[in-house]
Amino acid sequence: MQTASNRNNQKNCKPNKMISQETKMQHLDNLNKDQFEAVTTIEGPLLVLAGAGTGKTKVLTTRISHILNLRNAFPSQILAVTFTNKAAKEMKHRVETLNGIAVEGLWLGTFHAIAAKVLRRHAKEVGLNQDFTIIDTDDQLRLIKQIFNDFNIDTEKHSPKLFLYQIGRLKDKAITHNKVPYNDSYFFGSKSLSELYAEYQNRLKNLNAVDFGDLLLYNIELFNNNLDVLSEYQRKFKYILVDEYQDTNVSQYLWLRLLAQQHNNICCVGDDDQSIYGWRGAEITNILKFDKDFLGAKVIRLQQNYRSTNHILGAATKLISFNQERHGKILWTDQQHGEKIRLNSFYDDKEEARYIADEIDSLKRFHSLPYSDIAILLRAGYQTRSFEESLNYQRIPYRIIGGMKFYERAEIKDTIAYIRALVNPNDSLAFERIINTPKRGIGAASLQNIHISAREKNISLFAAVKMLLNAGQLKGKAGQSLAELMQQFGRWTETLKTLSHTETVDLMLNESGYIDMWKTEATEEARERLDNVRELIRSLEEYGSLSEFLEHVSLVSDLDSIVNENVVNIMTMHGAKGLEFKAVFLPGWEEGIFPSSRSIEESGQLGLEEERRLAYVGITRSKEKLYISFANNRRIYGNYQYNQPSRFIDELPKEHFEIINSFGSLKPQFKKEEAFDCSLPSFLSSSASNADRLRRGQRVFHKKFGYGIILSIADDNAQVAFEKTSTKKVLLDYLEVS
């Protein structure tokens, strides 16, 4: 650690810009050597490889504070982007704490929030109005189903969700509808992916709406087609800081490259060993080739961990070293105390779940560990059932993170749709949701008539209703109800000018009959729904306007909604990234489950390496106690499956764990080392022949018959129960380890 006087001599610390040097540099006092270097290297491109628990947020926030203290930039000249609103709020709070004052004007937020801010300012340049709507997945699917219906595409044969996934991945790669590669031009009925993509974008524009992928895509289009606008933002942002750079996709990468071209002061903080979102578009190559993209870039590694024990770090470091696509780093800690990792094997998943529930009860009773400091991290969501049952039996409170979220509930989506329609009557997706909620006697024929008129005239559903009412083409109960609804929206719009937005929404939901719809149901579920609606109305007070509220809702993420409750946390390892707990249970470490056979089948070695990074993330969530387990038999979708232990267990260094051999297949009569060698064979041994590596119960692959489980082996043959055919006798040489 350098002294204050040495710091004053740093080449980037210009004396004429220092303010009360002795006091203003106090933010540097609690940094280790590598953190100090990362904070004070403020000129030129910088990649900070921050291992798990090494203080990356501290580096980012201290770096911002350092730039401001040196007066190298005004807050409005600093752009800092991250992936969740929660992370952005934490960063802003830390910067203000370091500086001792509120920092106004700082461009700090998620990629989508910053991109939306830019797009609001320049909407006309890309053919949008400034009050455009950001739609969610439900609205996207509703729009896609409308398109499929109009083109007579059978949704039983062609999945709208598949189409949504495909255009989402194209947008992640910054590919517009007119640049879809020929080999990606999948057909949905008679229409190609590119044709439907073009139609989807056209309809979004008619709705004055965008989806999440569009926010960055339109930014890139804006910058490429309006060099004066690009130049304005390039000059503006003297310093760019990026959190979780390993999770960026191609669109985010291109956006950052464009903005950083003038000053070249871009600092990206991330961990290539924690890149686990390839399935949703993240490109690990972005962080691996940083020094080639930004010539002269400096790379600094943060390796001192402040979170976990030496046993946990030793296991994580050894495991991830089996990956080839990485920069490489070795985590270490000066905390030498700590328990070894506990490795457990069980007969089946029920026994595994019962043990974990008992251990959690013990941690609470005898170690006074709060439930909120305990997590069960799973590879897949379907594994939760057995743990829910065992925790319920023990009366241990828990929550499943990744289940139904507040903003995903039907009553909340309805309420937000009313608000969207009030703010923007031309938001047809919102209007369609509430036009018959509550029931207004509007039949299928009337709705079809409205849709056809809207398409023919290229107007919104709201405008189409007005047009048809004026022409006398909506009669009976439907016409009367819609005329009343139009009058109500006109009245609510005027009310918004005199009453607060919270009071207006309350009035709208009551006058529309929506509140009464749930009151008349008089069930416990209906009462809960009403409570949720009232909670949403109450939360509107926190926002300056309904538009500000809608912007927040459209950009909120799963992790932002996690609240502190004294309950055990059950979630997938993907959902746990960025979190930490004193005690972590990692069950289900079996071949086919973890690593996932699907990931390996689809992506080969790259898929296996991402699975190993996921294991690394799971291990490093633990601060003190870590339990890894596998079951010989696991019920999956109603059927029991015999599983071999995960190859990742074989890669763990034995000096950092102890085998609890009272359960399952690890026999007590063996020594621990012998039991481990006997029960956990080396899956990746290149010296072993194919026959030597095959054994009863192993999952294998045959080029003709597909995947199966070995029932028995005799001489050069094996009896294999194939998943898609029947049990067959095949030569060992034609079987591959799955």
Side-chain angles (χ1 to χ4, degrees), residues 52-120:
T54 57
K56 70 177 180 62
T57 304
K58 182 178 184 179
V59 165
L60 278 168
T61 53
T62 309
R63 185 181 171 85
I64 294 172
S65 181
H66 190 59
I67 292 168
L68 293 174
N69 276 309
L70 291 178
R71 294 187 179 178
N72 277 29
F74 294 109
S76 60
Q77 293 176 306
I78 298 175
L79 170 65
V81 287
T82 185
F83 278 82
T84 68
N85 293 308
K86 182 180 178 182
K89 287 178 183 177
E90 182 184 354
M91 285 174 64
K92 187 173 188 296
H93 174 71
R94 288 203 194 184
V95 170
E96 291 180 340
T97 300
L98 283 168
N99 281 45
I101 57 171
V103 178
E104 300 297 337
L106 189 67
W107 283 61
L108 195 162
T110 65
F111 276 96
H112 291 114
I114 299 294
K117 186 175 180 180
V118 171
L119 197 55
R120 295 272 180 212

Side-chain angles (χ1 to χ4, degrees), residues 704-705 709 711-712 718-722 725-730:
K704 181 177 180 181
F705 303 124
I709 300 291
L711 300 179
S712 62
Q719 285 285 126
V720 180
F722 290 103
T725 57
S726 59
T727 299
K728 297 182 184 295
K729 182 186 247 186
V730 293

Side-chain angles (χ1 to χ4, degrees), residues 182-456:
Y182 177 77
N183 58 351
D184 283 347
S185 196
Y186 185 89
F187 274 81
F188 293 79
S190 61
K191 295 293 180 180
S192 69
L193 173 62
S194 57
E195 288 176 306
L196 290 173
Y197 184 2
E199 178 65 19
Y200 171 79
Q201 291 302 117
N202 183 54
R203 295 203 186 188
L204 278 179
K205 216 156 212 181
N206 289 338
L207 292 168
N208 190 38
V210 299
D211 61 27
F212 265 71
D214 286 328
L215 292 171
L216 283 156
L217 208 56
Y218 274 129
N219 267 236
I220 293 169
E221 177 188 331
L222 170 70
F223 293 153
N224 285 330
N225 296 339
N226 300 271
L227 296 182
D228 56 329
V229 175
L230 173 60
S231 181
E232 172 193 342
Y233 284 99
Q234 285 177 336
R235 288 195 306 272
K236 178 181 183 61
F237 297 130
K238 290 182 66 177
Y239 293 95
I240 297 175
L241 299 92
V242 188
D243 190 15
E244 305 285 9
Y245 189 61
Q246 78 281 348
D247 293 335
T248 54
N249 58 36
V250 173
S251 287
Q252 292 159 342
Y253 161 79
L254 292 173
W255 184 75
L256 290 167
R257 283 290 305 270
L258 285 168
L259 290 174
Q261 281 177 1
Q262 179 162 331
H263 296 290
N264 210 31
N265 293 328
I266 181 169
C267 170
C268 293
V269 180
D271 184 3
D272 48 330
D273 291 334
Q274 294 188 71
S275 179
I276 58 174
Y277 297 120
W279 50 277
R280 71 181 188 193
E283 290 283 348
I284 190 173
T285 53
N286 291 349
I287 194 169
L288 293 178
K289 62 186 180 68
F290 181 88
D291 53 348
K292 296 180 178 62
D293 290 330
F294 299 95
L295 297 180
K298 187 170 186 176
V299 179
I300 297 173
R301 289 170 170 80
L302 304 184
Q303 299 177 110
Q304 183 176 359
N305 178 282
Y306 295 93
R307 174 193 297 160
S308 306
T309 66
N310 60 320
H311 288 301
I312 291 169
L313 297 181
T317 297
K318 178 63 177 178
L319 177 68
I320 201 64
S321 69
F322 285 88
N323 274 6
Q324 297 175 5
E325 295 293 320
R326 61 191 295 260
H327 283 288
K329 66 181 113 38
I330 299 175
L331 296 182
W332 62 276
T333 179
D334 54 13
Q335 305 176 53
Q336 295 305 314
H337 65 282
E339 300 176 6
K340 288 188 175 184
I341 299 167
R342 294 187 179 185
L343 175 63
N344 293 276
S345 66
F346 300 95
Y347 173 74
D348 62 13
D349 53 321
K350 288 186 177 180
E351 187 180 41
E352 180 183 51
R354 283 195 298 269
Y355 169 82
I356 289 176
D358 287 341
E359 191 66 20
I360 289 173
D361 185 58
S362 175
L363 290 172
K364 178 71 167 61
R365 287 173 182 268
F366 304 116
H367 298 272
S368 300
L369 196 62
Y371 289 130
S372 56
D373 273 335
I374 303 170
I376 302 173
L377 307 184
L378 309 169
R379 174 59 184 88
Y382 67 77
Q383 297 172 261
T384 62
R385 187 179 62 83
S386 58
F387 297 104
E388 289 191 72
E389 290 177 357
S390 61
L391 293 174
N392 277 324
Y393 182 78
Q394 292 274 40
R395 297 190 177 183
I396 295 173
Y398 68 90
R399 65 177 169 191
I400 297 177
I401 297 173
M404 179 68 77
K405 304 295 189 303
F406 182 75
Y407 290 109
E408 292 174 355
R409 298 180 184 277
E411 65 274 17
I412 299 303
K413 285 184 173 291
D414 290 341
T415 304
I416 291 172
Y418 268 100
I419 295 172
R420 282 169 50 184
L422 178 62
V423 172
N424 176 18
N426 291 324
D427 186 340
S428 291
L429 293 173
F431 187 70
E432 181 186 31
R433 185 179 183 100
I434 56 95
I435 191 173
N436 219 12
T437 305
K439 298 292 184 185
R440 295 186 171 92
I442 305 167
S446 296
L447 287 172
Q448 186 178 19
N449 189 15
I450 295 168
H451 275 287
I452 291 172
S453 299
R455 284 199 302 274
E456 288 179 348

Side-chain angles (χ1 to χ4, degrees), residues 272-273 275-276 284 288 320 322-326 595 600 603-616 648:
D272 48 330
D273 291 334
S275 179
I276 58 174
I284 190 173
L288 293 178
I320 201 64
F322 285 88
N323 274 6
Q324 297 175 5
E325 295 293 320
R326 61 191 295 260
I600 298 174
S603 304
Q605 182 65 23
L606 293 177
L608 174 60
E609 292 210 356
E610 180 154 321
E611 289 288 298
R612 191 176 282 111
R613 291 195 292 271
L614 190 56
Y616 174 86
F648 297 154

Side-chain angles (χ1 to χ4, degrees), residues 608-638:
L608 174 60
E609 292 210 356
E610 180 154 321
E611 289 288 298
R612 191 176 282 111
R613 291 195 292 271
L614 190 56
Y616 174 86
V617 167
I619 290 171
T620 54
R621 295 314 90 196
S622 176
K623 297 161 70 174
E624 298 175 5
K625 299 175 182 290
L626 180 63
Y627 303 76
I628 296 175
S629 59
F630 64 91
N632 292 321
N633 302 280
R634 185 172 299 277
R635 185 184 289 271
I636 299 176
Y637 300 123

